[in-house]
């Protein structure tokens, strides 16, 4: 399905037949944007849909190229950054939570295919939140449950997982993210508190008490400014922190949404572009140059480029609100191939593909 607007490319719509709450870009696929989308039905057979998006072909196209059966409701999907056929899922069996690594089959279309179960990460307590692939250390992954962070080393072609260390001792750990700029560094959030960690030793490096007035739902490091961390929470706010000095946030977007903010994500190349999603059913695209590399670089060439920025987007502002969803938008992610494509998923199983509006692309594409 396509929906056209006057000032943006078409929105591309894909619908699952069941509830869904997790989506992830296929990081290892760089030719076209592909996304894994997982269904969320406790007492039914679940599926992972592999969606391909082509925004270069005329008006754009969205298609499901494979469907994989999954035994239980899916809470998180984490594809490998180096092998497009490998992905972790975190899922609820009805009696407990598990985290497993799967391999997708090499071919086959038109029918539901079986995933190859590679391994399970054991020893978790309570709900397993996610599994994070370490992009600095080969074959190292980090899993998070309600209380602890677990570091694992994969071996024998990712067929075995050796526990390295466990740390945390937190209450209601909800989310974690790895620093793309510094090896062995990560941030977690439990309730309204954010903590930084050096996971080589499992030691805390900073703590931001009461970072939000309610639960922190998401964290995301700026990929181009080494010490800037974004957070989003149930207080409807998005905040930006310098983790070297956490007494006060660098910037606060109060009432960024009208309900809980579930996701905040920086664009990997143009980090002034930030997307957020919320249970107010909306997705928002923000321009936040004040905390980005665009207006904070000490590079002379960057200074020259900075002067080419249209004055209209040289200030922090909301660029666009996307209102295609009719239910809570639990996730929004940038594509792995195109710098301008992003995908959002609401609980009713509606997947929407959008692009940064052309007028901003032309200004930022310097």
């Amino acid at each position: 399905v396509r929906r056209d607007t006057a000032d943006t490319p078409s929105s591309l719509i894909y619908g699952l037949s069941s509830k869904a709450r997790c989506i992830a870009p296929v990081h290892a696929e760089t030719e076209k944007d592909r996304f894994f989308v997982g269904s969320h039905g406790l007492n039914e057979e679940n599926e992972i849909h592999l969606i391909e998006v082509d925004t270069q072909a005329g008006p754009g196209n969205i298609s499901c190229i494979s469907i994989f059966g999954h035994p239980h409701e899916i809470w998180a999907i984490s594809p490998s950054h180096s092998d497009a056929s490998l992905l972790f899922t975190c899922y609820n069996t009805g009696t407990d939570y598990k985290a497993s690594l799967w391999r997708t089959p090499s071919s086959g279309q038109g029918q539901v295919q079986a995933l190859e179960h590679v391994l399970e990460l054991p020893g978790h307590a309570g709900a397993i939140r996610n599994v994070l692939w370490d992009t600095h250390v080969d074959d190292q992954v980090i899993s998070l449950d309600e209380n602890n962070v677990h570091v694992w080393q994969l071996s024998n072609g990712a067929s075995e997982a050796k526990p390295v260390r466990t740390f945390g001792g937190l209450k209601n750990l909800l989310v974690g993210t790895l620093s793309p700029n510094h090896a062995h560094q990560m941030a977690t959030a439990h309730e309204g508190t954010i903590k930084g960690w050096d996971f080589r030793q499992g030691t805390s490096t900073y703590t931001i008490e009461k970072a939000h007035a309610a639960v922190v739902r998401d964290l995301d490091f700026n990929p181009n400014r080494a010490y800037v961390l974004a957070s989003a929470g149930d207080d409807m706010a998005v905040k930006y922190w310098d983790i070297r000095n956490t007494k006060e946030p660098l910037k606060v977007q109060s009432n960024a949404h009208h309900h809980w903010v579930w996701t905040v994500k920086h664009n990997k190349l143009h980090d002034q572009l930030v997307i957020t999603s919320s249970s107010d059913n909306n997705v928002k695209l923000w321009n936040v140059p004040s905390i980005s590399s665009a207006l904070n670089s000490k590079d002379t060439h960057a200074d020259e480029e900075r002067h080419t920025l249209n004055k209209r987007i040289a200030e922090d502002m909301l660029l666009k609100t996307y209102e295609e969803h009719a239910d809570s938008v639990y996730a929004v992610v940038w594509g792995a191939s195109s710098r301008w494509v992003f995908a959002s998923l609401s609980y009713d199983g509606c997947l929407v593909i959008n692009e940064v509006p052309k007028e901003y692309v032309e200004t930022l594409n310097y």
Side-chain angles (χ1 to χ4, degrees):
V1 178
R2 295 176 52 244
R3 292 181 184 170
D4 298 302
T5 59
D7 58 346
T8 67
S10 302
S11 297
L12 302 174
I13 314 293
Y14 178 86
L16 278 72
S17 60
S18 58
K19 304 292 186 183
R21 63 183 302 145
C22 57
I23 180 173
V26 184
H27 302 288
E29 176 58 63
T30 58
E31 295 299 320
K32 291 183 179 180
D33 283 304
R34 289 184 175 180
F35 301 90
F36 285 119
V37 184
S39 65
H40 190 75
L42 180 58
N43 297 312
E44 59 188 69
E45 291 298 316
N46 284 268
E47 298 174 341
I48 296 176
H49 291 219
L50 178 57
I51 306 301
E52 183 175 279
V53 178
D54 185 1
T55 58
Q56 305 302 315
N61 181 62
I62 183 170
S63 60
C64 178
I65 60 175
S66 295
I67 299 177
F68 309 107
H70 192 279
H72 303 285
E73 69 171 11
I74 307 166
W75 283 82
I77 297 176
S78 182
S80 166
H81 286 255
S82 58
D83 186 339
S85 69
L86 288 176
L87 68 154
F88 273 100
T89 63
C90 302
Y91 52 97
N92 180 8
T93 68
T95 57
D96 61 356
Y97 285 79
K98 293 185 177 182
S100 290
L101 179 64
W102 309 87
R103 186 180 298 278
T104 61
S106 58
S107 62
Q109 287 185 327
Q111 60 183 2
V112 178
Q113 303 174 71
L115 292 167
E116 175 191 349
H117 187 266
V118 180
L119 59 84
E120 180 185 333
L121 300 179
H124 294 92
I128 304 174
R129 306 304 189 187
N130 206 353
V131 178
L132 310 173
W133 293 82
D134 191 341
T135 57
H136 296 284
V137 179
D138 290 341
D139 297 322
Q140 182 164 272
V141 296
I142 293 89
S143 60
L144 300 93
D145 61 31
E146 289 184 11
N147 305 114
N148 290 303
V149 178
H150 307 262
V151 183
W152 309 83
Q153 188 67 42
L154 304 180
S155 59
N156 294 332
S159 63
E160 299 177 4
K162 176 184 177 181
V164 177
R165 68 183 51 85
T166 296
F167 59 91
L170 306 173
K171 182 180 179 181
N172 296 328
L173 172 61
L174 274 182
V175 65
T177 187
L178 303 184
S179 171
N181 304 294
H182 299 293
H184 315 295
Q185 302 296 311
M186 70 179 299
T188 62
H190 62 286
E191 299 182 334
T193 298
I194 297 171
K195 291 185 74 72
W197 302 91
D198 181 335
F199 55 84
R200 285 173 300 184
Q201 301 174 342
T203 54
S204 178
T205 52
Y206 57 87
T207 300
I208 311 175
E209 299 281 358
K210 299 180 180 179
H212 285 255
V215 170
V216 177
R217 293 285 173 185
D218 201 19
L219 299 169
D220 191 52
F221 280 102
N222 186 310
N224 301 322
R225 291 195 68 195
Y227 300 100
V228 174
L229 175 70
S231 61
D234 283 3
D235 55 0
M236 303 181 292
V238 175
K239 298 185 180 183
Y240 303 86
W241 307 87
D242 185 330
I243 60 174
R244 298 167 298 181
N245 182 6
T246 59
K247 289 184 178 180
E248 298 290 338
L250 294 171
K251 178 179 177 63
V252 178
Q253 292 171 312
S254 300
N255 299 314
H257 284 267
H258 298 299
H259 206 264
W260 302 345
V261 187
W262 282 87
T263 316
V264 57
K265 292 289 181 284
H266 295 89
N267 186 286
K268 301 309 177 186
L269 293 177
H270 298 285
D271 53 291
Q272 66 267 48
L273 295 177
V274 175
I275 45 177
T276 58
S277 71
S278 167
S279 39
D280 66 3
N281 304 353
N282 289 333
V283 172
K284 293 187 177 184
L285 173 67
W286 305 85
N287 183 61
V288 197
S290 67
I291 53 85
S292 75
S293 58
L295 295 183
N296 288 278
S297 173
K298 296 181 180 179
D299 184 274
T300 302
H301 179 62
D303 287 341
E304 295 174 355
E305 291 177 333
R306 186 182 312 144
H307 292 303
T308 70
L309 282 172
N310 188 310
K311 184 179 179 180
R312 181 180 179 188
I313 63 167
E315 300 177 355
D316 293 354
M317 62 184 297
L318 173 64
L319 294 182
K320 184 173 176 62
T321 299
Y322 297 85
E323 300 176 314
E324 294 95 341
H325 292 283
D327 205 343
S328 295
V329 187
Y330 283 134
V332 61
V333 293
W334 292 99
S337 175
S338 168
R339 71 181 72 181
W340 310 117
V341 170
F342 55 94
S344 53
L345 179 69
S346 50
Y347 191 53
D348 57 4
C350 179
L351 170 66
V352 180
I353 305 296
N354 277 297
E355 291 184 273
V356 176
K358 184 177 179 181
E359 58 190 290
Y360 302 113
V361 169
E362 291 175 344
T363 306
L364 290 169
N365 199 18
Y366 49 79

